Amino acid sequence: MNLSLSRPAKNRHCAVMTNANETKAKAGAIIVPVTLFEQNCTILWDAETKQAVVFDPGGDVPKILAAIEKTAVKVEKIWLTHGHIDHVGGAAELRDALKVPIVGPHQADKFLLDNVVTSGAQFGMSGVRNFAPDRWLAEGEQVQIGALTFDILHCPGHSPGSVVYYNKELQFAHVGDVLFNGSVGRTDLPGGSHATLISSIKDKLLPLGDDIGFICGHGAGSSFGQERLTNPFLTGEM
Ligand SMILES: [Zn+2]
Ligand SMILES: [Zn+2]
């Protein structure tokens, strides 16, 4: 969660999903900002089959459902990056509405999913529910939507159970709140650790390569190379 980041509450189409070596996009994505935290709920799909996932439905479920209908994709799964309220507040409601399974995050965030109602009350979010995902994710596992395969990287530090979804072919990652454009996830919440977070980024994400583009939980996306060179938390300036 990061209150300092905000953007106009308008859905954004993403260009990062086009592989430069291909003549046509293999995937599409749209970002639907949700909750008072302007969290980047992301609908991502296989361009060929229109099979889709919803990353981090933090709230404003009617707005997410409207975006799904407008995009004309078939949502088959809900994928969670971590357990914070702005990422999971609408997950149980969306699962009921779409009759699809919730996948992720890592089980180390179970304490957050068990306390969604309590967290929601702190921010005036009503109608949220505690829930368990249909599948926990662990380091090295893979998840699929259509012909797209994502590797799971367990990247604790912002929360203990944060995971990053990485697609090698598309040179793309969804990093949740682990890394931001010019910043990193906050580490003052329960289970957070700044040293662990920086290790997750430097040891697991940056080695994937400078060309990897990413969507993050708040604000504009970036690439690992851009952040490696300019992000003050990675260059040693902070
Ligand atoms: Zn978070
Ligand atoms: Zn967040």
Side-chain angles (χ1 to χ4, degrees):
M1 291 183 270
N2 190 330
L3 273 170
S4 67
L5 295 161
S6 67
R7 281 182 301 101
K10 191 171 180 298
N11 297 349
R12 261 192 307 136
H13 279 275
C14 305
V16 294
M17 304 301 297
T18 306
N19 187 326
N21 299 319
E22 299 288 334
T23 51
K24 67 183 175 72
K26 291 191 170 174
I30 187 172
I31 290 175
V32 184
V34 296
T35 78
L36 75 165
F37 300 99
E38 291 281 312
Q39 197 274 118
N40 288 334
C41 173
T42 302
I43 303 167
L44 181 148
W45 61 91
D46 175 337
E48 182 92 33
T49 64
K50 291 277 193 171
Q51 291 168 289
V53 296
V54 177
F55 279 102
D56 292 357
D60 302 330
V61 170
K63 194 175 166 186
I64 299 169
L65 289 170
I68 292 167
E69 195 178 333
K70 195 171 169 210
T71 317
V73 292
K74 184 179 178 340
V75 173
E76 301 197 334
K77 276 156 193 163
I78 295 165
W79 288 356
L80 302 180
T81 63
H82 65 296
H84 287 153
I85 182 73
D86 53 328
H87 296 255
V88 308
E93 187 183 343
L94 191 67
R95 172 166 65 183
D96 285 355
L98 298 175
K99 308 272 187 291
V100 299
I102 297 174
V103 177
H106 186 281
Q107 195 159 9
D109 271 3
K110 182 177 187 296
F111 74 105
L112 294 168
L113 303 187
D114 288 342
N115 289 286
V116 177
V117 173
T118 312
S119 307
Q122 286 180 278
F123 300 105
M125 291 171 69
S126 57
V128 300
R129 279 153 41 198
N130 300 343
F131 64 94
D134 298 276
R135 175 185 169 187
W136 296 108
L137 293 174
E139 175 77 17
E141 291 187 345
Q142 291 187 324
V143 290
Q144 261 111 14
I145 188 66
L148 310 174
T149 298
F150 287 75
D151 293 317
I152 300 303
L153 298 121
H154 181 209
C155 293
H158 170 66
S159 76
S162 287
V163 294
V164 166
Y165 295 76
Y166 165 57
N167 184 298
K168 189 169 190 232
E169 191 186 11
L170 295 169
Q171 296 276 281
F172 168 79
H174 193 311
V175 301
D177 286 358
V178 172
L179 177 64
F180 294 118
N181 184 333
S183 187
V184 296
R186 59 188 284 185
T187 51
D188 57 333
L189 296 166
S193 160
H194 186 74
T196 303
L197 179 67
I198 297 301
S199 294
S200 288
I201 296 168
K202 289 192 170 176
D203 299 342
K204 291 193 179 176
L205 300 187
L206 299 189
L208 296 174
D210 284 351
D211 294 337
I212 313 291
F214 68 81
I215 286 175
C216 46
H218 305 266
S222 179
S223 70
F224 289 162
Q226 172 75 13
E227 296 313 302
R228 185 176 64 78
L229 294 169
T230 65
N231 189 313
F233 292 92
L234 304 179
T235 57
E237 291 163 60
M238 288 186 77

